[in-house]
Amino acid sequence: MNRCLLTPGPTPIPPRVALKGALPVLHHRTSEFGAVYKNVAQSLKYVFQTKNEVYMIAASGTGSMEAAVVNLLSPDDEIIVASCGNFGDRWIKIAQMYGVKVISVSVKLGKVIKPIEVEKVLKKNPKIKAVYTTFTETSTGVVNDIKTIGEIVSKTGAVLVVDSISGLVGQEFRMDDWKVDVVVSGSQKGFMLAPGLSFIAFSDKAWELVKVSKIPKFYFDIKKYKKSYTTNETPFTPPVTLIVALEESLKIITEIGLENIWSKSRLLARATRAVMESLGLELFAEIPCDVVTSALVPIEIGGKIIKTLKEEFGVFIAGGQGDLKGKIIRFAHMGYIGKIDLLAGFACLEMVLFKLGVNIKRGKALAAAEEVFLKG
Ligand SMILES: Cc1ncc(COP(=O)(O)O)c(C=O)c1O
């Protein structure tokens, strides 16, 4: 059966990119690989909207999250984690594992971080070294106001570290203009690649913390990646095929242009929200992001929706994580996912809800999506 992958990572891979990834493996200490590395390094600056170097680490996104902790901090340092979901909470878990003291500025699931709350805690705690937060919280579907948080943190001695693993490429994000000091991302979402590669960039202000950080590290020691960057290499054997494929996906991103990608995501997000509402499903996110839409579903059928979509139609969507298990569904509209994939997903969702006994009028979902797409 053909599959329709509408999960918020991994996402589908364009054939152009998949073909590049299937080419014979290059050796990573050659000029051929060096040329690929150089192109990729240049394009990553565009995607991150930064002048800083962007390093590639062979790990899933969480690897770069860990790198953002171990390279900036020392045991007993104090940080703020502004969390609004499962992935924000991951910052807390990583930091506490290394003996870092965490002040948590958390909100209820589905809500966004209030920048003013971060400001209040920063004012009360002048020793704070860093504020860690999340751009698009994939587990709830909200988007946080990183620009305002950046303004606040930049006026203090602390650095701002942002997990942009699901939001980068798909939704407007500007590392330098928004005064973000460290950004992490991963390959399997907006970058339209298979999982396994993560990205991280540091501002000059963040490098000052790197110099004095005392948490032990070896594989994730970012100084090694900085040194290798000068010779277009990574310190350890990189996932060469992923990086060759990345060169192609970055070519596509550059050809289309970030602004056009951002506006495409906005349109897909509007259509998805309209469909959920047409089906009587309440949107879950206080301020919904453009890369994934979450909606509340009757608890008794939450799991069945996901299972039936997969088994009967080959449509893969995500459910809720942790406390949200069974309570929400999540439809992604990032990366290579386009209108045609979503239309198929919407029609199948409507049929599944109908079969599961939800009181809906059939035909409404596609009508709602068509309305949005036709208006553009
Ligand atoms: C916002 C966010 N942070 C962190 C992660 C973890 O990334 P990975 O699973 O690549 O380690 C994800 C992945 O779903 C994510 O969406």
Side-chain angles (χ1 to χ4, degrees):
M1 181 160 52
N2 197 5
R3 283 157 173 256
C4 184
L5 200 54
L6 297 174
T7 47
T11 58
I13 300 172
R16 250 175 86 175
V17 175
L19 284 171
K20 290 284 176 179
L23 290 172
V25 176
L26 294 177
H27 193 277
H28 56 290
R29 306 287 179 217
T30 58
S31 55
E32 262 175 301
F33 179 75
V36 173
Y37 184 103
K38 204 170 165 191
N39 271 338
V40 163
Q42 197 51 40
S43 302
L44 283 173
K45 288 185 177 189
Y46 166 64
V47 172
F48 276 63
Q49 292 286 291
T50 186
K51 290 196 190 70
N52 300 308
E53 295 171 350
V54 182
Y55 308 110
M56 289 180 277
I57 301 181
S60 78
T62 306
S64 271
M65 290 177 76
E66 184 148 350
V69 171
V70 299
N71 283 287
L72 295 173
L73 303 172
S74 302
D76 292 330
D77 273 353
E78 288 175 30
I79 62 165
I80 291 173
V81 174
S83 170
C84 58
N86 199 28
F87 294 113
D89 290 351
R90 189 163 295 180
W91 285 127
I92 302 178
K93 289 181 190 151
I94 300 171
Q96 287 179 338
M97 189 74 76
Y98 287 102
V100 171
K101 292 183 181 144
V102 175
I103 301 179
S104 163
V105 180
S106 297
V107 291
K108 260 179 66 184
L109 297 176
K111 303 291 178 200
V112 292
I113 305 292
K114 307 279 176 292
I116 186 125
E117 296 302 320
V118 175
E119 189 169 29
K120 277 189 209 156
V121 180
L122 269 171
K123 277 195 177 139
K124 257 200 230 152
N125 300 275
K127 284 196 332 208
I128 294 291
K129 288 269 167 64
V131 175
Y132 288 76
T133 193
T134 318
F135 176 40
T136 51
E137 174 52 76
T138 326
S139 67
T140 64
V142 304
V143 59
N144 286 310
D145 181 357
I146 300 301
K147 190 176 178 200
T148 303
I149 299 174
E151 280 300 328
I152 291 166
V153 179
S154 69
K155 294 190 184 110
T156 71
V159 296
L160 175 61
V161 183
V162 177
D163 164 358
S164 197
I165 290 173
S166 62
L168 205 70
V169 187
Q171 182 153 2
E172 181 174 6
F173 185 92
R174 300 177 185 275
M175 180 176 185
D176 293 357
D177 288 355
W178 293 1
K179 304 182 169 77
V180 184
D181 295 293
V182 178
V183 176
V184 302
S185 197
S187 54
Q188 76 275 26
K189 302 181 192 247
F191 283 95
M192 305 180 289
L193 286 177
L197 188 62
S198 66
F199 311 100
I200 187 163
F202 291 74
S203 70
D204 291 344
K205 188 175 175 188
W207 275 109
E208 292 306 309
L209 282 185
V210 173
K211 284 183 200 158
V212 296
S213 158
K214 290 198 176 64
I215 290 180
K217 55 229 163 230
F218 183 80
Y219 185 74
F220 288 127
D221 183 351
I222 208 65
K223 294 192 286 310
K224 295 187 173 84
Y225 292 80
K226 185 174 175 54
K227 189 165 175 249
S228 307
Y229 191 94
T230 58
T231 51
N232 298 317
E233 288 173 279
T234 51
F236 313 108
T237 310
V240 176
T241 46
L242 265 180
I243 294 175
V244 169
L246 172 64
E247 188 183 31
E248 192 65 18
S249 76
L250 288 170
K251 237 188 235 169
I252 296 175
I253 291 167
T254 315
E255 279 163 13
I256 300 174
L258 281 176
E259 272 85 0
N260 291 325
I261 296 174
W262 298 336
S263 69
K264 177 199 137 192
S265 306
R266 269 197 299 275
L267 179 68
L268 298 184
R270 277 202 286 123
T272 311
R273 288 172 211 147
V275 165
M276 296 303 158
E277 281 171 339
S278 77
L279 292 170
L281 304 180
E282 191 188 330
L283 295 174
F284 183 62
E286 180 185 15
I287 301 182
C289 68
D290 292 337
V291 293
V292 61
T293 294
S294 55
L296 288 158
V297 288
I299 183 84
E300 57 292 352
I301 58 164
K304 284 187 198 147
I305 296 173
I306 315 270
K307 191 166 177 276
T308 316
L309 275 171
K310 181 172 67 182
E311 289 175 358
E312 274 205 31
F313 298 101
V315 171
F316 291 72
I317 64 164
Q321 300 177 329
D323 288 347
L324 294 175
K325 199 170 165 52
K327 295 183 188 161
I328 61 167
I329 54 170
R330 294 176 298 141
F331 251 75
H333 23 83
M334 56 173 78
Y336 193 51
I337 294 169
K339 289 179 189 164
I340 192 161
D341 310 293
L342 286 178
L343 287 169
F346 298 154
C348 296
L349 175 65
E350 188 174 84
M351 282 188 277
V352 168
L353 290 176
F354 182 77
K355 279 181 90 166
L356 292 174
V358 179
N359 184 18
I360 50 167
K361 207 148 183 266
R362 288 195 343 257
K364 282 209 158 186
L366 287 188
E370 284 174 21
E371 189 67 19
V372 175
F373 288 153
L374 286 171
K375 281 193 184 142

